[in-house]
Amino acid sequence: MRDQWAEISENLKKMLDSGVFKVWIAPLRARLEDGALRLAAPNAFMAGWLESRMLCTLREAAAPVLGLAPEAVDLRIEIAGNDRNAAPEAASTADLAARVLPRRQASLPMPAVAPAFRREAAWRYCFEDFVVGPSNSVAVAAAQDVCRNGGDVRTLFVNSASGLGKTHLAQAVGQSLSRNSSGARVAYLTAEEFASRFVAALRGHDVEAFKGRLRELDVLLLEDVHFFQGKEKMQDMALAVVKSLQARGGRVIFTSSFSPRELQRVDSQLVSHFCSGILTNMGRPDEEMRRHILTRKARSFQVLLPDPVCDLLASRLRGDVRQMESCLNSLIFKARLLNCGLNLDLALEVLNQYAGVECGPDLPTIIRLVCESYGLEERQLCSRSRRRECVLGRNTVYYLARKHTELSLEEIGGTFNRRHSTVIKGITSVERELSKESSLGRQIARAVDLIERNAGLGAAQ
């Protein structure tokens, strides 16, 4: 358990201020018993305070070490030296803390409800790995300007379909700032993470601390802001934070699957702040960009991709970057399995699993494949039925049509006699379930994978 607690402590060091860690975490002793993580605090006051304020943070730090979801971590805080029969006394520590806390508050550093936002170790992407071309050059240039001291770009809004580099770009900014800027306070959050931390702050009666920590940032990287649609409280908080941050010269990057004008049920003031700087879209890469992407991906896999094979893949794979990476992975895996080099015959064999990728599926094809996957009839998708499977089928069509066709939201919705705001809501719902990896998310992921493979867009299994 000592090694596991050391890892958990390292996670907490990254999440909390050094003073908070030293006062509240360093004195703890840990053991694993009956599957539960037991933390022994030196006194009743500390145990009660941790129990009432820090459980979510402790579970979040322990989850990756124990291989569990944060909510599945069984965490119990005890008083050092107490035996198991002392549980009733330990149970009253929260009340004790409540009585003692007002007198001690001024002398002890208080951790915020949510973990600290700046996590250098979490940066997965950098600018050096980003292939720049006509479809994304404006977005990249603006993002790089955000990283420069005295840069002109203070607010950047980037929108694109899934798999075209929004997250890569946002994380590249975070890494660049953390690596090159002296002491820049950077936060990277998805809108859903922002919302969940805000809810935690509400429950912990610590909203001002949550707001204050975000206001003090130098750069806020906020992804998937379309998640805020229809969530008024979240929008109010986001607006307050963004206004304050911008007023004191901070920089903000927003990303979304939709442009600001496509967002529905979002406060006009918040949309105005989205649009207060540079607005840019990232499109699909052209053939030359695809060559560069494939070559660079192959190099990251420590593989030399022959020019004829690269040209073939670049000419045939016209989807997003994930599609190219998936096909390249399949090709390399098969070559290693057969103990042969990457050649045209093998590439053609793998590309057969991607039949028709150069054209991509049209909407009728997507509808047919979704109906086959979910056991529905097309008339059910077009009906007003709110049955779970019908709603799920329609939302999956919206998601795939947005991802793989050039149709507008109005055109997609018109097929089902729905407004484009309904299409946005459906796409957001699918993206949320996929990102949460819930049981429904896994079901959708399996269906999407099967549909894309049948349409010639996914990797062979």
Side-chain angles (χ1 to χ4, degrees), residues 359-377:
C359 299
D362 56 15
L363 186 57
T365 301
I366 291 173
I367 293 172
R368 175 177 59 80
L369 291 171
V370 167
C371 287
E372 290 174 1
S373 181
Y374 288 114
L376 297 168
E377 297 180 12

Side-chain angles (χ1 to χ4, degrees), residues 214-288:
L214 286 169
R215 282 172 166 171
E216 292 170 0
L217 294 169
D218 297 306
V219 182
L220 173 61
L221 311 170
L222 191 57
E223 287 226 69
D224 302 328
V225 294
H226 51 274
F227 178 81
F228 288 138
Q229 293 174 117
K231 299 175 175 63
E232 293 183 7
K233 295 285 186 184
M234 308 299 177
Q235 292 175 32
D236 290 344
M237 175 57 71
L239 179 59
V241 167
V242 170
K243 284 175 68 175
S244 177
L245 201 155
Q246 289 177 329
R248 53 181 291 273
R251 290 158 284 177
V252 191
I253 293 182
F254 305 104
T255 74
S256 175
S257 297
F258 311 101
S259 67
R261 66 180 177 81
E262 292 174 324
L263 297 175
Q264 296 289 312
R265 295 177 300 142
V266 177
D267 184 274
S268 58
Q269 289 189 68
L270 185 55
V271 174
S272 175
H273 281 275
F274 289 162
C275 301
S276 62
I278 303 296
L279 300 181
T280 184
N281 170 265
M282 293 200 297
R284 297 188 187 279
D286 60 21
E287 189 167 335
E288 186 59 30

Side-chain angles (χ1 to χ4, degrees), residues 91-255:
S92 65
T93 56
D95 294 333
L96 176 60
R99 294 195 299 272
V100 179
L101 183 58
R103 295 195 298 273
R104 297 283 298 274
Q105 211 163 15
S107 60
L108 291 175
M110 296 296 158
V113 164
F117 301 115
R118 187 183 176 195
R119 299 172 294 171
E120 289 90 339
W123 306 125
R124 293 175 292 154
Y125 305 112
C126 60
F127 282 116
E128 291 78 8
D129 297 333
F130 201 94
V131 176
V132 183
S135 62
N136 60 21
S137 58
V138 174
V140 175
Q144 290 174 330
D145 187 85
V146 171
C147 300
R148 283 192 285 270
N149 288 328
D152 296 323
V153 179
R154 315 304 293 178
T155 302
L156 173 63
F157 189 103
V158 180
N159 74 91
S160 78
S162 178
L164 296 180
K166 296 189 300 293
T167 296
H168 190 143
L169 196 62
Q171 291 231 350
V173 170
Q175 183 171 104
S176 177
L177 288 166
S178 297
R179 187 173 57 195
N180 302 325
S181 185
S182 56
R185 292 164 295 185
V186 184
Y188 170 82
L189 290 168
T190 65
E192 187 166 4
E193 286 173 335
F194 180 99
S196 64
R197 289 172 186 240
F198 175 50
V199 170
L202 281 172
R203 289 174 178 167
H205 307 289
D206 216 355
V207 173
E208 286 306 313
F210 169 81
K211 191 189 301 183
R213 291 171 67 205
L214 286 169
R215 282 172 166 171
E216 292 170 0
L217 294 169
D218 297 306
V219 182
L220 173 61
L221 311 170
L222 191 57
E223 287 226 69
D224 302 328
V225 294
H226 51 274
F227 178 81
F228 288 138
Q229 293 174 117
K231 299 175 175 63
E232 293 183 7
K233 295 285 186 184
M234 308 299 177
Q235 292 175 32
D236 290 344
M237 175 57 71
L239 179 59
V241 167
V242 170
K243 284 175 68 175
S244 177
L245 201 155
Q246 289 177 329
R248 53 181 291 273
R251 290 158 284 177
V252 191
I253 293 182
F254 305 104
T255 74

Side-chain angles (χ1 to χ4, degrees), residues 388 433 436-446:
R388 181 175 178 273
E433 295 299 336
K436 284 165 56 179
E437 296 184 354
S438 61
S439 57
L440 178 58
R442 288 191 292 272
Q443 177 190 345
I444 295 172
R446 286 193 296 270

Side-chain angles (χ1 to χ4, degrees), residues 223-410:
E223 287 226 69
D224 302 328
V225 294
H226 51 274
F227 178 81
F228 288 138
Q229 293 174 117
K231 299 175 175 63
E232 293 183 7
K233 295 285 186 184
M234 308 299 177
Q235 292 175 32
D236 290 344
M237 175 57 71
L239 179 59
V241 167
V242 170
K243 284 175 68 175
S244 177
L245 201 155
Q246 289 177 329
R248 53 181 291 273
R251 290 158 284 177
V252 191
I253 293 182
F254 305 104
T255 74
S256 175
S257 297
F258 311 101
S259 67
R261 66 180 177 81
E262 292 174 324
L263 297 175
Q264 296 289 312
R265 295 177 300 142
V266 177
D267 184 274
S268 58
Q269 289 189 68
L270 185 55
V271 174
S272 175
H273 281 275
F274 289 162
C275 301
S276 62
I278 303 296
L279 300 181
T280 184
N281 170 265
M282 293 200 297
R284 297 188 187 279
D286 60 21
E287 189 167 335
E288 186 59 30
M289 281 182 67
R290 295 197 293 271
R291 285 195 192 91
H292 286 302
I293 291 169
L294 289 163
T295 301
R296 190 166 292 183
K297 291 288 184 185
R299 193 181 304 132
S300 71
F301 298 142
Q302 298 183 324
V303 169
L304 179 63
L305 188 64
D307 288 342
V309 175
C310 184
D311 291 342
L312 174 65
L313 297 180
S315 66
R316 292 284 301 275
L317 297 169
R318 298 189 179 182
D320 57 42
V321 178
R322 290 194 189 105
Q323 180 200 86
M324 286 184 278
E325 186 169 349
S326 172
C327 183
L328 187 59
N329 266 323
S330 298
L331 177 59
I332 293 170
F333 178 79
K334 194 159 190 173
R336 286 173 176 167
L337 191 66
L338 298 175
N339 195 26
C340 65
L342 301 181
N343 55 62
L344 285 173
D345 289 340
L346 193 62
L348 285 167
E349 191 175 327
V350 171
L351 278 170
N352 282 336
Q353 305 298 326
Y354 294 75
V357 291
E358 61 272 18
C359 299
D362 56 15
L363 186 57
T365 301
I366 291 173
I367 293 172
R368 175 177 59 80
L369 291 171
V370 167
C371 287
E372 290 174 1
S373 181
Y374 288 114
L376 297 168
E377 297 180 12
E378 187 173 337
R379 61 178 179 78
Q380 291 176 290
L381 292 183
C382 296
S383 72
R384 308 305 296 181
S385 172
R386 298 295 301 167
R387 286 172 53 201
R388 181 175 178 273
E389 56 269 30
C390 292
V391 173
L392 186 58
R394 278 194 292 268
N395 290 348
T396 304
V397 171
Y398 301 156
Y399 173 81
L400 290 169
R402 174 72 176 191
K403 183 177 180 182
H404 296 301
T405 74
E406 299 299 323
L407 295 174
S408 67
L409 296 171
E410 289 83 358

